[in-house]
Amino acid sequence: RMSFRITSQHGQARCGILSSSSSNSTTTTTGLLTPCFTEITNCGSLLNLVDSVFNEQILSHNSTTTTTTSPAGSIKQLNTFELLEMTKSIRGHPNAPSFRKYINFPSQDDNNLLFASIRHPIYHTTLGASDEELTGPTVSGNRKITPKEFIEMMKYINPDFFVCISDEVGSFDGVKRKAKSVKRSLDWLDRCIGYCSNTTEADNKNNNDSNNNETIDTSKKMIVSIQGTNNLKDREKSAVECAKRNVFGFAIGGLWMGENEEERNNILNIIIQNIPSNKIRFIPGATTPFDILDSILLGFDLFEGSYVNYLTTNGYAAVFPISENSENIVEKNTGNFVSKIQLFDKQYSNDLSPILNECPCFTCKSHSRAYLHHLVECREMTANILLDIHNSIHFRNFFDKIREEIKNETFHNYVKWFKSNII
């Protein structure tokens, strides 16, 4: 069973511990420190790094920007529709292994968690829906999934926590369609909670990665998605109703899908007023450093790590200073600090310096900007590996710094400094 405990706060911003431990102790220190971000995967496999490289180069890394660091660990994020065809094939086999064994993921590890969501963390594809099913893209074309099939799939995958199936629409949809998405999502939520308590012998077998025959109540690790787009009445209704359910936490659906910044802030404020403060809060779509800081100010805990993938796949290296004393690169025209550099740019073809001189990552210690420029120009696979190592560690250092500022009750000043100096 998942647990989430808030350890410190500054205003609405908060630090916590996220753990899959069955212990209810208020003094446990195992687990992942929040705010934190997920590692994006394709059916359980990281996009640019194999597990051995990730463990050696990322998880073994110690931050040089803060006095305290998070325990070595990660949250691997799965996309439900990517797994739909694969899990059907595996489960149809007479000697089907558990999903965790199939992807070689630890069965019990407080510092390494498995997380499943419906909304794709990179593409944000709009999904079709009827009252009985949700339609989304798979490797074999569009496929439909009902709430019952979704819960059966979650019981087989056995993630540590997951976002419940919902009808997510954007601000560009009509008034009736937005209201329908709220009603439909609440109906699916209640059906899913009901299906969670209906277990079979097959469910017990699928949830048994050790020799423990106890079946996990899936609703204790369910995150419910609050819908309503930019209609504040629909958002309030969805938040109030979702808060009545016995779930692990809350996600905010339908954001960064057509609304402007003012609408988004109004949406988030009204949701925060209507959900319990002791539950974890996940906000898909808030991926850039600026969006993350704004969301943490409002009290959100969990984010998608798709910004790291965006930087890596487009040839960027993160260089934004994490603190006032960090190494920085100044933009000549504005005098502000640069947040990223584009290694496709020919200015780096003869630059023998590392991405950042002070960065302790393998990429910066071993390779120059000129070499990385050559790799991205040639579309070498090694380019994505080396850039992902650097960008992942830089992003982890950023979150280490955020948690330190919250604990020191200086987070508000840190946000002001960051947003006024970095472009």
Side-chain angles (χ1 to χ4, degrees):
R1 175 177 176 175
M2 292 296 298
S3 64
F4 174 68
R5 179 168 60 88
I6 297 171
T7 56
S8 59
Q9 275 189 267
H10 180 214
Q12 293 185 82
R14 71 251 192 106
C15 293
I17 297 178
L18 177 64
S19 172
S20 64
S21 173
S22 59
S23 170
N24 292 321
S25 170
T26 59
T27 60
T28 179
T29 57
T30 59
L32 295 174
L33 303 184
T34 64
C36 64
F37 65 95
T38 65
E39 303 288 343
I40 309 304
T41 73
N42 183 0
C43 298
S45 297
L46 296 168
L47 301 182
N48 296 301
L49 304 177
V50 296
D51 284 344
S52 58
V53 173
F54 180 77
N55 293 337
E56 180 181 346
Q57 299 296 335
I58 309 299
L59 295 189
S60 63
H61 162 73
N62 289 322
S63 173
T64 58
T65 60
T66 64
T67 56
T68 57
T69 59
S70 60
S74 65
I75 303 173
K76 283 190 174 182
Q77 183 172 347
L78 307 167
N79 177 254
T80 303
F81 276 102
E82 284 183 343
L83 297 172
L84 193 56
E85 294 296 317
M86 185 179 80
T87 53
K88 281 184 179 179
S89 301
I90 300 171
R91 294 169 68 186
H93 194 277
N95 298 315
S98 70
F99 181 77
R100 284 172 176 262
K101 288 181 180 177
Y102 185 80
I103 64 171
N104 194 32
F105 194 86
S107 57
Q108 291 294 329
D109 186 345
D110 283 347
N111 292 338
N112 290 283
L113 304 177
L114 202 60
F115 170 55
S117 66
I118 285 284
R119 174 169 167 169
H120 199 289
I122 297 174
Y123 305 115
H124 292 180
T125 308
T126 302
L127 306 176
S130 68
D131 286 341
E132 297 301 318
E133 57 200 10
L134 186 68
T135 304
T138 73
V139 293
S140 303
N142 285 344
R143 292 290 183 269
K144 298 176 180 179
I145 187 170
T146 65
K148 184 176 182 179
E149 290 169 338
F150 172 77
I151 292 301
E152 288 174 351
M153 186 177 176
M154 290 301 104
K155 288 178 179 178
Y156 173 66
I157 294 173
N158 190 21
D160 292 293
F161 60 118
F162 63 90
V163 178
C164 186
I165 187 172
S166 62
D167 180 18
E168 186 172 20
V169 296
S171 299
F172 43 78
D173 286 283
V175 175
K176 290 184 178 180
R177 180 68 183 91
K178 293 174 183 177
K180 183 67 175 177
S181 76
V182 173
K183 182 178 182 300
R184 183 177 287 154
S185 296
L186 290 170
D187 175 59
W188 287 355
L189 171 60
D190 288 335
R191 289 162 67 181
C192 284
I193 291 175
Y195 295 136
C196 286
S197 60
N198 296 328
T199 60
T200 65
E201 184 177 346
D203 293 328
N204 287 323
K205 179 180 178 181
N206 288 331
N207 279 322
N208 182 23
D209 278 350
S210 59
N211 291 320
N212 185 353
N213 291 323
E214 181 182 355
T215 301
I216 299 172
D217 184 350
T218 324
S219 68
K220 302 302 181 185
K221 52 185 179 180
M222 178 190 291
I223 290 180
V224 56
S225 186
I226 296 171
Q227 300 298 331
T229 66
N230 59 347
N231 186 308
L232 295 183
K233 288 185 178 179
D234 285 343
R235 282 287 184 182
E236 184 175 20
K237 175 185 176 182
S238 181
V240 168
E241 289 300 318
C242 287
K244 296 176 182 178
R245 275 64 173 182
N246 181 23
V247 292
F248 174 60
F250 302 91
I252 316 302
L255 288 186
W256 283 269
M257 294 178 68
E259 79 285 351
N260 59 45
E261 185 175 352
E262 182 181 356
E263 288 176 323
R264 189 182 308 132
N265 289 335
N266 291 335
I267 290 166
L268 293 176
N269 277 310
I270 200 167
I271 288 173
I272 290 296
Q273 295 169 19
N274 289 284
I275 59 176
S277 61
N278 63 334
K279 307 276 189 176
I280 195 165
R281 299 162 178 171
F282 170 53
I283 182 162
T287 58
T288 69
F290 302 99
D291 290 337
I292 287 169
L293 290 173
D294 286 340
S295 301
I296 292 174
L297 278 172
L298 292 173
F300 286 89
D301 312 292
L302 183 61
F303 302 84
E304 294 170 329
S306 54
Y307 185 67
V308 172
N309 181 70
Y310 161 76
L311 293 174
T312 297
T313 55
N314 289 283
Y316 287 109
V319 295
F320 57 86
I322 293 169
S323 68
E324 294 186 47
N325 299 322
S326 297
E327 179 184 359
N328 57 71
I329 300 173
V330 178
E331 209 281 328
K332 294 179 181 178
N333 295 327
T334 64
N336 288 337
F337 302 136
V338 176
S339 62
K340 59 185 182 291
I341 58 172
Q342 173 54 267
L343 288 164
F344 277 106
D345 197 315
K346 292 189 181 297
Q347 68 173 305
Y348 300 115
S349 60
N350 294 309
D351 189 341
L352 299 181
S353 61
I355 296 171
L356 289 173
N357 288 298
E358 297 177 0
C359 181
C361 77
F362 170 79
T363 303
C364 290
K365 289 194 296 185
S366 306
H367 300 294
S368 66
R369 295 177 182 179
Y371 179 61
L372 294 168
H373 168 77
H374 160 74
L375 293 178
V376 297
E377 278 282 287
C378 297
R379 305 299 195 274
E380 284 278 1
M381 185 187 300
T382 315
N384 279 12
I385 295 172
L386 293 175
L387 281 178
D388 211 61
I389 289 172
H390 168 79
N391 289 329
S392 294
I393 288 179
H394 199 78
F395 217 49
R396 281 175 170 253
N397 286 344
F398 176 54
F399 274 83
D400 281 342
K401 182 62 176 175
I402 287 171
R403 289 191 294 269
E404 184 181 68
E405 296 290 340
I406 293 173
K407 290 174 183 176
N408 294 338
E409 298 187 354
T410 54
F411 182 63
H412 291 183
N413 291 335
Y414 177 73
V415 173
K416 290 178 183 177
W417 168 81
F418 193 96
K419 294 175 74 172
S420 62
N421 287 284
I422 299 172
I423 57 173

